[in-house]
Every structure is written in C-alpha cells, then in structure tokens.
Amino acid sequence: MPLGLRGKKKDKSRETSRLVEAEAAVAGGRGGEEDVAGAAPTLAAPSPPAQVPIRLLFHAQLAHGSPTGRVEGFASVRELYAKIAEAFHIAPTEIMFCTLNTHKIDMDKLLGVQIGLEDFIFAHVKGVKKEVEVFKSEDSLGLTITDNGNGCAFIKRIKAGSLIDQIPVICVGDHIEAINGKSVVGCRHYEVAKNLKDLEKGQTFTLKLIEPLKSFDMIEPRSKGGSFAEGKITRGKETLRLRSKGPATVEEMPSDIEEKAIKKVDDLLEMYMGIRDLELAATMVETGKGKNNPDEFAVALDEALGDFAFPDEFVFDVWGAIGDAMQGRF
C-alpha cells in the first residue's frame, strides 16, 4: 500500500511556532494622542506591554569533552546540527547524533522528536573508521537502524544472541558509511535497513563503519557541572519539537497515553521494518486521532505518509496499538 512521506500538520499559532529572542518585553506607546487639527490631546488607554518573543537558548558540549557552547536560532533538525557545528567550529556532517543530558552513548537518551526546554545537548562526532566482513548465515542480522535526520544512519540496537552480536567490533552508535563499497551516506534509516535485508543469505558482505569519537585528545576536558548558566527558560511541560522537514515548534509534552502509544508504534516499526523513528511513530499516532476504524486510519496514512510501503498487517497492528493505549490497556 503506497503511502505519502509527511502529513500536513495543523498550523500552530505564531506565539508557539516561532523561536524568539531572549530579551525582556518593553512597554510601548504614549499616554495621549494629538489630532491633526491641533486639538488638545486626549488621553488614551495605556498600551499593553509589547510582547517581545523569547529566543530559545540551549547549551551543548561535544560528548567526548569540550567547553560549553550556546545554540540558538534554529528551526529544524538540519539547522540544529548546523548551529552545533558552528559553535564548535566543525562541519555539520561530522555530527553523528546527539544525546540529551548525558555524554554517554545511551540510545534511550537520543535526541529525537522532543527537546525539553532545559535539556542539555551532547553531540557525538565521528571517530575511528573500521571495515568489517560479515558472513550472512541468517536472514536476520539483529540490527535496528535509525538516523539523525541529517544524512547519518547508525546502529541503535543489536539484538542479544544475533549474528551481529557475535562480532564485537560492531557497536551500538556506529555510523554505517557503506555496504559492499556502496555509500549509504545521506540515505534514510529505512533505506539502509532494506539494503541490509536484501543482502543474499550465505554470502559475505562488507560494512564500512565509523564509531563515535571517545578520546579526550587535544580537547579541553568536559566541564564538571551540567547545569545551565543564568537566564534559563522554564516553560512547565513545554518542549521544542523538531522535525526533519518543517519548522520546530514549542508544544505541550505528549500525554502519558500518547507517549505509550508512540513507544508501542516505534516498537512495531522495529519489528516490521528494522528501524526506530520516534518522529514517524508520533506522526502515525497523530494521524490516528479522530479515526473511527482501521479503514479510515489506512486512508489517512495514505494521505499523510509517503515513501513507505506499509503492509496491511502492520497498519492493523498500529491501529490496534493506538486503540489499546488510548483505552489504557497497557
């Protein structure tokens, strides 16, 4: 069933969809006006304080150690990576992925759909290159692939006891640069996963990988404190939602029910497609809102998502997962 890549989201209000400047609001206007005929000025109601938007400011470090940098003024995933690269004087393509509030390669803390307004960003950059020959003795390699939304696909999970789990040199966090000499840089996670799945069983293939930089050589040590400098912004449960396409928006945190539904759909993406993508999972959950049956949901997916050939059983399982979450069955 051919589907479309990105659903059209409802426009947010300007107040919540812009990233704004971090200065205090200033009261504007004069207390009276004078008409063109030169009559005495008449008192006007005091003007309300000017609503000067607040520019969202985040703090970041390179995960292997660096001074703290300030990151602001971005409106998409690609722009975020560009701003981080600018802060540390590196190329955006050197950034493999980012984690939130930890410098460790922790896939549970991976920067994905949401960034809390007080989250600290750690950027993991390219380190050692390695080339590995793998004999495909089984249909399943045991890999889960994701990407950073900026052209870098990497290993998010290795299934315990799987074929790849028996090759210690292949690690979670490794960027897959090429398969059998063919570059997959710039490919989405589902494309890389399909290339691996399509490799013939009983044959040897070659992976070119790049692991995240882990040494502290020639890098200033990481600062001890992970707290923010003065002027931190608090918005309660609001977060900045990033998209691979389209502007970032400040939104309320998903409800517990929605988070459970998103997590379950992400699990189904891994089961059926070998990928993890919280943004895609969140989009599918949003698409299911207000739908009364799986047929309506399938039609909505056709309109909302493209470049994916979701099998019918997957669509039904997603519909069931959303329904179970909304009715509190898990």
Short mmCIF file of all heavy atoms in Angstrom, two decimals, residues 194-254:
data_model
loop_
_atom_site.label_atom_id
_atom_site.label_comp_id
_atom_site.label_asym_id
_atom_site.label_seq_id
_atom_site.Cartn_x
_atom_site.Cartn_y
_atom_site.Cartn_z
N LYS A 194 16.73 -1.72 4.46
CA LYS A 194 16.32 -2.54 3.30
C LYS A 194 17.54 -3.08 2.57
O LYS A 194 17.55 -4.24 2.14
CB LYS A 194 15.45 -1.72 2.35
CG LYS A 194 14.88 -2.54 1.19
CD LYS A 194 13.96 -1.70 0.32
CE LYS A 194 13.27 -2.56 -0.73
NZ LYS A 194 14.22 -3.29 -1.60
N ASN A 195 18.57 -2.25 2.41
CA ASN A 195 19.79 -2.72 1.75
C ASN A 195 20.41 -3.90 2.49
O ASN A 195 20.87 -4.87 1.88
CB ASN A 195 20.82 -1.59 1.67
CG ASN A 195 20.48 -0.56 0.60
OD1 ASN A 195 19.74 -0.86 -0.34
ND2 ASN A 195 20.99 0.64 0.73
N LEU A 196 20.40 -3.84 3.82
CA LEU A 196 20.94 -4.93 4.61
C LEU A 196 20.06 -6.18 4.53
O LEU A 196 20.54 -7.31 4.43
CB LEU A 196 21.09 -4.49 6.07
CG LEU A 196 22.17 -3.44 6.35
CD1 LEU A 196 22.06 -2.93 7.78
CD2 LEU A 196 23.56 -4.01 6.09
N LYS A 197 18.75 -5.96 4.55
CA LYS A 197 17.81 -7.08 4.48
C LYS A 197 17.90 -7.79 3.14
O LYS A 197 17.76 -9.02 3.06
CB LYS A 197 16.39 -6.58 4.72
CG LYS A 197 15.34 -7.68 4.77
CD LYS A 197 13.96 -7.11 5.05
CE LYS A 197 12.91 -8.21 5.12
NZ LYS A 197 11.55 -7.66 5.38
N ASP A 198 18.16 -7.03 2.08
CA ASP A 198 18.20 -7.60 0.73
C ASP A 198 19.49 -8.34 0.42
O ASP A 198 19.60 -8.98 -0.64
CB ASP A 198 17.99 -6.49 -0.31
CG ASP A 198 16.57 -5.95 -0.31
OD1 ASP A 198 15.69 -6.59 0.28
OD2 ASP A 198 16.34 -4.87 -0.89
N LEU A 199 20.50 -8.25 1.30
CA LEU A 199 21.74 -8.99 1.06
C LEU A 199 21.46 -10.49 1.06
O LEU A 199 20.67 -11.00 1.88
CB LEU A 199 22.77 -8.65 2.15
CG LEU A 199 23.31 -7.22 2.14
CD1 LEU A 199 24.12 -6.95 3.40
CD2 LEU A 199 24.16 -6.97 0.90
N GLU A 200 22.11 -11.20 0.17
CA GLU A 200 21.82 -12.62 -0.01
C GLU A 200 22.38 -13.46 1.14
O GLU A 200 23.53 -13.30 1.56
CB GLU A 200 22.43 -13.09 -1.34
CG GLU A 200 22.01 -14.50 -1.73
CD GLU A 200 22.55 -14.90 -3.09
OE1 GLU A 200 23.01 -14.00 -3.83
OE2 GLU A 200 22.53 -16.10 -3.42
N LYS A 201 21.54 -14.34 1.64
CA LYS A 201 21.97 -15.26 2.70
C LYS A 201 23.02 -16.22 2.15
O LYS A 201 22.95 -16.67 1.00
CB LYS A 201 20.75 -16.03 3.23
CG LYS A 201 21.06 -16.98 4.36
CD LYS A 201 19.80 -17.70 4.83
CE LYS A 201 20.10 -18.73 5.91
NZ LYS A 201 18.88 -19.44 6.36
N GLY A 202 24.01 -16.52 2.99
CA GLY A 202 25.07 -17.43 2.57
C GLY A 202 26.23 -16.74 1.89
O GLY A 202 27.16 -17.41 1.42
N GLN A 203 26.20 -15.41 1.83
CA GLN A 203 27.25 -14.63 1.19
C GLN A 203 27.94 -13.73 2.22
O GLN A 203 27.36 -13.38 3.25
CB GLN A 203 26.68 -13.77 0.06
CG GLN A 203 26.03 -14.55 -1.07
CD GLN A 203 27.02 -15.40 -1.84
OE1 GLN A 203 28.14 -14.97 -2.12
NE2 GLN A 203 26.62 -16.63 -2.17
N THR A 204 29.18 -13.34 1.91
CA THR A 204 29.91 -12.42 2.76
C THR A 204 29.75 -11.00 2.22
O THR A 204 29.82 -10.78 1.01
CB THR A 204 31.42 -12.78 2.79
OG1 THR A 204 31.56 -14.09 3.36
CG2 THR A 204 32.20 -11.79 3.64
N PHE A 205 29.49 -10.05 3.10
CA PHE A 205 29.40 -8.65 2.69
C PHE A 205 30.30 -7.80 3.59
O PHE A 205 30.75 -8.25 4.65
CB PHE A 205 27.95 -8.15 2.75
CG PHE A 205 27.36 -8.12 4.13
CD1 PHE A 205 27.38 -6.95 4.90
CD2 PHE A 205 26.73 -9.24 4.67
CE1 PHE A 205 26.82 -6.91 6.17
CE2 PHE A 205 26.17 -9.21 5.95
CZ PHE A 205 26.21 -8.05 6.69
N THR A 206 30.57 -6.59 3.12
CA THR A 206 31.49 -5.70 3.82
C THR A 206 30.76 -4.47 4.32
O THR A 206 29.97 -3.86 3.57
CB THR A 206 32.64 -5.26 2.90
OG1 THR A 206 33.32 -6.42 2.43
CG2 THR A 206 33.63 -4.38 3.65
N LEU A 207 31.00 -4.11 5.56
CA LEU A 207 30.45 -2.88 6.15
C LEU A 207 31.58 -1.91 6.43
O LEU A 207 32.59 -2.29 7.04
CB LEU A 207 29.72 -3.18 7.46
CG LEU A 207 28.37 -3.89 7.41
CD1 LEU A 207 27.89 -4.17 8.82
CD2 LEU A 207 27.35 -3.08 6.64
N LYS A 208 31.41 -0.68 5.99
CA LYS A 208 32.30 0.39 6.42
C LYS A 208 31.58 1.19 7.50
O LYS A 208 30.48 1.70 7.26
CB LYS A 208 32.68 1.30 5.24
CG LYS A 208 33.68 0.67 4.28
CD LYS A 208 34.14 1.67 3.23
CE LYS A 208 35.20 1.05 2.32
NZ LYS A 208 35.68 2.01 1.28
N LEU A 209 32.18 1.26 8.67
CA LEU A 209 31.56 1.87 9.83
C LEU A 209 32.44 2.98 10.38
O LEU A 209 33.66 3.00 10.16
CB LEU A 209 31.33 0.83 10.93
CG LEU A 209 30.56 -0.44 10.54
CD1 LEU A 209 30.65 -1.47 11.66
CD2 LEU A 209 29.10 -0.11 10.23
N ILE A 210 31.81 3.91 11.11
CA ILE A 210 32.55 4.94 11.85
C ILE A 210 31.97 4.98 13.25
O ILE A 210 30.77 5.17 13.43
CB ILE A 210 32.43 6.33 11.20
CG1 ILE A 210 32.87 6.30 9.74
CG2 ILE A 210 33.26 7.35 11.99
CD1 ILE A 210 32.72 7.63 9.02
N GLU A 211 32.83 4.80 14.25
CA GLU A 211 32.34 4.84 15.62
C GLU A 211 32.46 6.25 16.17
O GLU A 211 33.28 7.05 15.70
CB GLU A 211 33.11 3.86 16.50
CG GLU A 211 34.56 4.20 16.72
CD GLU A 211 35.25 3.18 17.61
OE1 GLU A 211 34.98 1.97 17.48
OE2 GLU A 211 36.08 3.60 18.46
N PRO A 212 31.65 6.61 17.17
CA PRO A 212 31.74 7.95 17.78
C PRO A 212 33.10 8.16 18.44
O PRO A 212 33.68 7.23 18.99
CB PRO A 212 30.62 7.94 18.81
CG PRO A 212 29.70 6.84 18.40
CD PRO A 212 30.56 5.80 17.76
N LEU A 213 33.61 9.38 18.37
CA LEU A 213 34.87 9.73 19.00
C LEU A 213 34.75 9.60 20.51
O LEU A 213 33.81 10.12 21.12
CB LEU A 213 35.26 11.16 18.62
CG LEU A 213 36.64 11.65 19.06
CD1 LEU A 213 37.74 10.78 18.48
CD2 LEU A 213 36.82 13.11 18.64
N LYS A 214 35.72 8.94 21.12
CA LYS A 214 35.63 8.68 22.55
C LYS A 214 36.82 9.22 23.33
O LYS A 214 36.79 9.27 24.55
CB LYS A 214 35.51 7.17 22.80
CG LYS A 214 34.26 6.56 22.18
CD LYS A 214 34.28 5.05 22.25
CE LYS A 214 33.08 4.46 21.52
NZ LYS A 214 33.13 2.98 21.46
N SER A 215 37.90 9.63 22.64
CA SER A 215 39.09 10.09 23.35
C SER A 215 38.97 11.56 23.72
O SER A 215 38.11 12.28 23.23
CB SER A 215 40.33 9.88 22.48
OG SER A 215 40.36 10.82 21.43
N PHE A 216 39.87 12.00 24.60
CA PHE A 216 39.90 13.40 25.01
C PHE A 216 41.12 14.11 24.42
O PHE A 216 41.48 15.20 24.85
CB PHE A 216 39.96 13.50 26.55
CG PHE A 216 38.64 13.20 27.19
CD1 PHE A 216 38.16 11.91 27.28
CD2 PHE A 216 37.87 14.23 27.72
CE1 PHE A 216 36.95 11.64 27.88
CE2 PHE A 216 36.65 13.96 28.34
CZ PHE A 216 36.20 12.65 28.41
N ASP A 217 41.77 13.50 23.46
CA ASP A 217 43.00 14.07 22.89
C ASP A 217 42.74 15.45 22.30
O ASP A 217 41.84 15.63 21.48
CB ASP A 217 43.56 13.15 21.80
CG ASP A 217 44.00 11.82 22.36
OD1 ASP A 217 44.15 11.73 23.58
OD2 ASP A 217 44.18 10.87 21.56
N MET A 218 43.54 16.40 22.69
CA MET A 218 43.53 17.77 22.15
C MET A 218 42.20 18.47 22.35
O MET A 218 41.89 19.45 21.68
CB MET A 218 43.89 17.76 20.65
CG MET A 218 45.29 17.25 20.37
SD MET A 218 45.67 17.24 18.62
CE MET A 218 44.46 16.08 17.97
N ILE A 219 41.40 17.98 23.27
CA ILE A 219 40.11 18.59 23.56
C ILE A 219 40.09 19.01 25.02
O ILE A 219 40.51 18.28 25.91
CB ILE A 219 38.94 17.60 23.32
CG1 ILE A 219 38.94 17.14 21.86
CG2 ILE A 219 37.62 18.23 23.67
CD1 ILE A 219 38.61 18.22 20.86
N GLU A 220 39.60 20.20 25.27
CA GLU A 220 39.50 20.67 26.64
C GLU A 220 38.54 19.78 27.42
O GLU A 220 37.50 19.38 26.90
CB GLU A 220 38.98 22.11 26.64
CG GLU A 220 39.19 22.84 27.95
CD GLU A 220 38.87 24.32 27.79
OE1 GLU A 220 39.16 24.88 26.73
OE2 GLU A 220 38.30 24.87 28.73
N PRO A 221 38.89 19.39 28.66
CA PRO A 221 38.02 18.48 29.42
C PRO A 221 36.62 19.03 29.59
O PRO A 221 36.40 20.24 29.64
CB PRO A 221 38.72 18.38 30.79
CG PRO A 221 40.14 18.73 30.50
CD PRO A 221 40.10 19.74 29.40
N ARG A 222 35.66 18.10 29.68
CA ARG A 222 34.27 18.49 29.87
C ARG A 222 34.11 19.20 31.22
O ARG A 222 34.70 18.82 32.21
CB ARG A 222 33.39 17.22 29.87
CG ARG A 222 31.91 17.48 29.99
CD ARG A 222 31.13 16.19 30.06
NE ARG A 222 31.36 15.39 28.88
CZ ARG A 222 32.04 14.26 28.89
NH1 ARG A 222 32.55 13.80 30.01
NH2 ARG A 222 32.22 13.58 27.79
N SER A 223 33.34 20.26 31.23
CA SER A 223 33.12 20.96 32.48
C SER A 223 32.36 20.06 33.45
O SER A 223 31.57 19.21 33.04
CB SER A 223 32.32 22.24 32.23
OG SER A 223 31.08 21.95 31.65
N LYS A 224 32.61 20.22 34.74
CA LYS A 224 32.03 19.33 35.74
C LYS A 224 30.53 19.49 35.84
O LYS A 224 29.79 18.53 35.97
CB LYS A 224 32.68 19.59 37.10
CG LYS A 224 34.15 19.21 37.15
CD LYS A 224 34.73 19.45 38.53
CE LYS A 224 36.20 19.08 38.59
NZ LYS A 224 36.80 19.33 39.92
N GLY A 225 30.07 20.70 35.81
CA GLY A 225 28.65 20.95 36.02
C GLY A 225 27.85 20.78 34.75
O GLY A 225 28.28 21.16 33.68
N GLY A 226 26.67 20.20 34.88
CA GLY A 226 25.78 20.09 33.73
C GLY A 226 24.63 21.06 33.81
O GLY A 226 23.69 20.97 33.05
N SER A 227 24.71 21.99 34.75
CA SER A 227 23.61 22.92 34.94
C SER A 227 23.72 24.08 33.98
O SER A 227 24.78 24.34 33.40
CB SER A 227 23.61 23.45 36.38
OG SER A 227 24.83 24.11 36.65
N PHE A 228 22.64 24.81 33.81
CA PHE A 228 22.59 25.92 32.89
C PHE A 228 23.14 27.19 33.51
O PHE A 228 23.13 27.37 34.72
CB PHE A 228 21.13 26.20 32.45
CG PHE A 228 20.64 25.16 31.47
CD1 PHE A 228 19.97 24.04 31.93
CD2 PHE A 228 20.86 25.31 30.13
CE1 PHE A 228 19.52 23.10 31.04
CE2 PHE A 228 20.41 24.36 29.23
CZ PHE A 228 19.74 23.26 29.69
N ALA A 229 23.58 28.07 32.65
CA ALA A 229 24.00 29.40 33.10
C ALA A 229 22.75 30.22 33.41
O ALA A 229 21.63 29.76 33.26
CB ALA A 229 24.83 30.07 32.01
N GLU A 230 22.99 31.46 33.84
CA GLU A 230 21.85 32.31 34.18
C GLU A 230 20.96 32.54 32.96
O GLU A 230 21.38 32.40 31.83
CB GLU A 230 22.34 33.66 34.71
CG GLU A 230 23.00 34.55 33.67
CD GLU A 230 24.45 34.19 33.46
OE1 GLU A 230 24.96 33.28 34.11
OE2 GLU A 230 25.08 34.86 32.61
N GLY A 231 19.73 32.88 33.23
CA GLY A 231 18.80 33.18 32.14
C GLY A 231 18.13 31.95 31.56
O GLY A 231 17.68 31.97 30.44
N LYS A 232 18.10 30.87 32.32
CA LYS A 232 17.47 29.67 31.78
C LYS A 232 15.97 29.91 31.63
O LYS A 232 15.37 30.69 32.35
CB LYS A 232 17.74 28.46 32.66
CG LYS A 232 17.02 28.46 34.02
CD LYS A 232 17.36 27.19 34.77
CE LYS A 232 16.63 27.14 36.10
NZ LYS A 232 16.96 25.91 36.86
N ILE A 233 15.40 29.20 30.70
CA ILE A 233 13.99 29.41 30.36
C ILE A 233 13.17 28.25 30.90
O ILE A 233 13.50 27.09 30.70
CB ILE A 233 13.81 29.50 28.83
CG1 ILE A 233 14.67 30.64 28.29
CG2 ILE A 233 12.37 29.69 28.46
CD1 ILE A 233 14.76 30.65 26.79
N THR A 234 12.10 28.54 31.58
CA THR A 234 11.23 27.50 32.10
C THR A 234 9.84 27.65 31.49
O THR A 234 9.30 28.74 31.45
CB THR A 234 11.11 27.60 33.63
OG1 THR A 234 12.43 27.50 34.19
CG2 THR A 234 10.25 26.48 34.19
N ARG A 235 9.31 26.57 30.99
CA ARG A 235 8.01 26.61 30.34
C ARG A 235 7.11 25.48 30.85
O ARG A 235 6.30 24.96 30.12
CB ARG A 235 8.19 26.45 28.83
CG ARG A 235 8.75 27.68 28.14
CD ARG A 235 7.65 28.71 27.93
NE ARG A 235 8.05 29.68 26.96
CZ ARG A 235 8.85 30.69 27.19
NH1 ARG A 235 9.35 30.86 28.38
NH2 ARG A 235 9.17 31.55 26.23
N GLY A 236 7.33 25.03 32.08
CA GLY A 236 6.49 23.95 32.57
C GLY A 236 6.74 22.68 31.79
O GLY A 236 7.85 22.19 31.72
N LYS A 237 5.69 22.14 31.16
CA LYS A 237 5.80 20.89 30.43
C LYS A 237 5.97 21.09 28.94
O LYS A 237 5.79 20.17 28.16
CB LYS A 237 4.56 20.02 30.70
CG LYS A 237 4.47 19.51 32.14
CD LYS A 237 3.32 18.54 32.28
CE LYS A 237 3.28 17.96 33.70
NZ LYS A 237 2.17 17.00 33.86
N GLU A 238 6.34 22.29 28.53
CA GLU A 238 6.52 22.53 27.10
C GLU A 238 7.87 22.01 26.64
O GLU A 238 8.85 22.00 27.39
CB GLU A 238 6.39 24.02 26.78
CG GLU A 238 4.96 24.52 26.86
CD GLU A 238 4.84 25.97 26.45
OE1 GLU A 238 5.81 26.73 26.63
OE2 GLU A 238 3.78 26.34 25.93
N THR A 239 7.92 21.59 25.38
CA THR A 239 9.16 21.15 24.77
C THR A 239 9.27 21.74 23.37
O THR A 239 8.28 22.21 22.79
CB THR A 239 9.21 19.61 24.63
OG1 THR A 239 8.17 19.18 23.75
CG2 THR A 239 9.05 18.93 25.97
N LEU A 240 10.47 21.68 22.83
CA LEU A 240 10.69 22.08 21.45
C LEU A 240 10.63 20.82 20.61
O LEU A 240 11.38 19.87 20.82
CB LEU A 240 12.06 22.74 21.30
CG LEU A 240 12.38 23.28 19.90
CD1 LEU A 240 11.47 24.45 19.57
CD2 LEU A 240 13.84 23.68 19.81
N ARG A 241 9.72 20.79 19.66
CA ARG A 241 9.59 19.62 18.79
C ARG A 241 10.30 19.90 17.48
O ARG A 241 9.99 20.87 16.79
CB ARG A 241 8.13 19.28 18.52
CG ARG A 241 8.00 18.09 17.58
CD ARG A 241 6.60 17.55 17.49
NE ARG A 241 6.55 16.44 16.55
CZ ARG A 241 5.46 15.73 16.30
NH1 ARG A 241 4.34 16.00 16.94
NH2 ARG A 241 5.48 14.74 15.44
N LEU A 242 11.24 19.03 17.14
CA LEU A 242 12.00 19.16 15.90
C LEU A 242 11.44 18.21 14.86
O LEU A 242 10.98 17.11 15.16
CB LEU A 242 13.47 18.84 16.14
CG LEU A 242 14.21 19.78 17.08
CD1 LEU A 242 15.63 19.29 17.29
CD2 LEU A 242 14.21 21.20 16.54
N ARG A 243 11.54 18.62 13.61
CA ARG A 243 11.11 17.78 12.50
C ARG A 243 12.21 17.75 11.45
O ARG A 243 12.90 18.74 11.25
CB ARG A 243 9.80 18.30 11.89
CG ARG A 243 8.64 18.30 12.86
CD ARG A 243 7.38 18.87 12.23
NE ARG A 243 6.23 18.70 13.08
CZ ARG A 243 5.89 19.52 14.07
NH1 ARG A 243 6.63 20.58 14.31
NH2 ARG A 243 4.83 19.30 14.80
N SER A 244 12.34 16.60 10.77
CA SER A 244 13.34 16.53 9.71
C SER A 244 12.97 17.46 8.57
O SER A 244 13.84 17.97 7.85
CB SER A 244 13.46 15.09 9.19
OG SER A 244 12.20 14.61 8.77
N LYS A 245 11.68 17.72 8.41
CA LYS A 245 11.21 18.70 7.43
C LYS A 245 10.19 19.60 8.11
O LYS A 245 9.32 19.14 8.83
CB LYS A 245 10.56 18.00 6.22
CG LYS A 245 11.56 17.17 5.41
CD LYS A 245 10.89 16.58 4.19
CE LYS A 245 11.86 15.76 3.37
NZ LYS A 245 11.22 15.18 2.16
N GLY A 246 10.30 20.89 7.89
CA GLY A 246 9.38 21.82 8.52
C GLY A 246 9.99 22.45 9.75
O GLY A 246 11.00 21.98 10.28
N PRO A 247 9.37 23.53 10.23
CA PRO A 247 9.95 24.28 11.35
C PRO A 247 9.74 23.60 12.69
O PRO A 247 8.84 22.79 12.87
CB PRO A 247 9.15 25.60 11.30
CG PRO A 247 7.83 25.21 10.72
CD PRO A 247 8.13 24.13 9.71
N ALA A 248 10.62 23.94 13.63
CA ALA A 248 10.44 23.48 15.00
C ALA A 248 9.31 24.26 15.65
O ALA A 248 9.04 25.40 15.29
CB ALA A 248 11.74 23.69 15.79
N THR A 249 8.63 23.63 16.60
CA THR A 249 7.54 24.30 17.30
C THR A 249 7.63 24.02 18.79
O THR A 249 8.08 22.96 19.21
CB THR A 249 6.16 23.83 16.79
OG1 THR A 249 6.10 22.41 16.88
CG2 THR A 249 5.94 24.26 15.35
N VAL A 250 7.21 24.99 19.60
CA VAL A 250 7.10 24.78 21.04
C VAL A 250 5.72 24.22 21.31
O VAL A 250 4.71 24.81 20.95
CB VAL A 250 7.31 26.10 21.81
CG1 VAL A 250 7.08 25.89 23.30
CG2 VAL A 250 8.72 26.63 21.56
N GLU A 251 5.67 23.04 21.93
CA GLU A 251 4.41 22.35 22.15
C GLU A 251 4.35 21.80 23.56
O GLU A 251 5.36 21.69 24.25
CB GLU A 251 4.26 21.18 21.15
CG GLU A 251 4.31 21.60 19.69
CD GLU A 251 4.20 20.41 18.75
OE1 GLU A 251 4.15 19.26 19.26
OE2 GLU A 251 4.16 20.63 17.53
N GLU A 252 3.15 21.45 23.98
CA GLU A 252 2.99 20.77 25.25
C GLU A 252 3.58 19.36 25.14
O GLU A 252 3.55 18.75 24.08
CB GLU A 252 1.51 20.66 25.62
CG GLU A 252 0.88 21.98 26.01
CD GLU A 252 1.46 22.53 27.31
OE1 GLU A 252 1.69 21.73 28.25
OE2 GLU A 252 1.71 23.74 27.38
N MET A 253 4.11 18.86 26.24
CA MET A 253 4.59 17.48 26.27
C MET A 253 3.44 16.54 25.92
O MET A 253 2.30 16.77 26.31
CB MET A 253 5.11 17.15 27.67
CG MET A 253 6.47 17.73 27.98
SD MET A 253 7.80 16.83 27.19
CE MET A 253 7.80 15.32 28.15
N PRO A 254 3.73 15.45 25.18
CA PRO A 254 2.68 14.47 24.94
C PRO A 254 2.16 13.91 26.26
O PRO A 254 2.91 13.79 27.23
CB PRO A 254 3.40 13.38 24.13
CG PRO A 254 4.61 14.03 23.56
CD PRO A 254 5.00 15.09 24.55
#
